[in-house]
Amino acid sequence: MTAQRILSWTPAAIVFDCDGTLMDTECHWQDARLRALREFGFTPAPGFTERAKGLHYTECGVLMAEEAGHPELGADLTERLLGHFGALVADRPLTMPGARRLVEQAARFAPLAVASNCPKEVVESSLGTAGLLDRFDHVVVPDDDNGIRPKPHPDVYLTAARLCGTDPADTLAVEDSHCGIEAAERAGMRILGVGPWPAERTMALVDLWVRSLDEPELRGWAGDRVPAQIPGNRPTMKP
């Protein structure tokens, strides 16, 4: 792990994952998965939560159906999953510790984007309710019409960097799941991982791992990126 590749560096843009990174929605996904499975009389196998974390919701529905031994129910389980998740998020939107402060600090010196496997309306609704949506220049999600595949494909990250006008190598990805970290690594970005200490295979892909976006070293790093105004009011770094 090369922490200094993050802590001594100013990215040209920052792309955040949403669920589990900015918004505390992983508990909602867990509840939604369990509710959908129980409605069909199924119980998830051990380790299912980790296998499902970070997957696009359609892929998660397929996984649920396969693990239940009824692959023909993939579409039905996907529909139930998304319905339950949307209701839970609307009822209790929560930001992750430190997310609001980091986003507000980062927005002073770099364009920001979100790259998520969730439907765009869900991402925008949850960020809007949390008062964070207007901090982001772009929200990128999988899109069949435009050939944007879900994580772990790199498409959402590559698209976010392009929209921000930056090279992926000059862009920081902030992620909490192996699926998302793999996508960012395949896009060629530097990676900040966040959450409980991960498996070795995940740790091998990140430059810096923090337990929370509220950790002092991360707050200090973001606070030290002092912006200077340039034409067009886009913040940039002073030499």
Side-chain angles (χ1 to χ4, degrees), residues 75-178:
D76 292 331
L77 280 164
T78 297
E79 183 179 358
R80 297 290 183 90
L81 169 67
L82 192 56
H84 286 307
F85 176 74
L88 288 164
V89 170
D91 183 59
R92 193 163 62 97
L94 300 170
T95 56
M96 295 297 290
R100 183 182 305 280
R101 179 170 180 166
L102 180 60
V103 166
E104 290 175 349
Q105 287 180 313
R108 296 183 307 133
F109 65 84
L112 307 183
V114 172
S116 175
N117 267 353
C118 282
K120 192 169 188 177
E121 60 271 19
V122 173
V123 176
E124 291 183 341
S125 175
S126 60
L127 291 175
T129 302
L132 292 177
L133 183 60
D134 63 353
R135 299 293 186 179
F136 293 95
D137 298 276
H138 308 283
V139 174
V140 182
V141 301
D143 184 343
D144 289 338
D145 292 338
N146 291 306
I148 302 175
R149 298 168 296 177
K151 306 171 190 177
H153 296 289
D155 302 21
V156 289
Y157 277 108
L158 291 172
T159 302
R162 177 177 58 79
L163 291 172
C164 288
T166 60
D167 188 286
D170 297 325
T171 304
L172 174 66
V174 186
E175 269 283 356
D176 75 305
S177 72
H178 183 84

Side-chain angles (χ1 to χ4, degrees), residues 22 46 74 111 125 148 161 167 188 194 202 210 218:
L22 293 175
S125 175
I148 302 175
D167 188 286
V194 60
T202 303
V210 295
L218 196 57

Side-chain angles (χ1 to χ4, degrees), residues 33 37 42 44-45 47-71 73-75 77-78 81:
R33 290 191 288 261
L37 285 166
F42 305 137
F48 170 76
T49 296
E50 187 60 31
R51 290 191 293 276
K53 186 176 181 180
L55 289 180
H56 187 258
Y57 66 95
T58 56
E59 294 178 349
C60 187
V62 170
L63 176 66
M64 293 162 67
E66 289 176 347
E67 297 216 357
H70 290 273
L73 294 178
L77 280 164
T78 297
L81 169 67

Side-chain angles (χ1 to χ4, degrees), residues 1-2 17 21 50-51 53-54 152 173-186 189-210:
M1 187 170 63
T2 53
D17 170 56
T21 300
E50 187 60 31
R51 290 191 293 276
K53 186 176 181 180
V174 186
E175 269 283 356
D176 75 305
S177 72
H178 183 84
C179 178
I181 287 168
E182 184 179 349
E185 192 272 339
R186 291 170 67 183
M189 296 183 176
R190 299 189 201 188
I191 303 169
L192 170 67
V194 60
W197 205 251
E200 187 173 329
R201 66 176 186 139
T202 303
M203 183 63 72
L205 300 178
V206 305
D207 295 286
L208 172 65
W209 190 277
V210 295

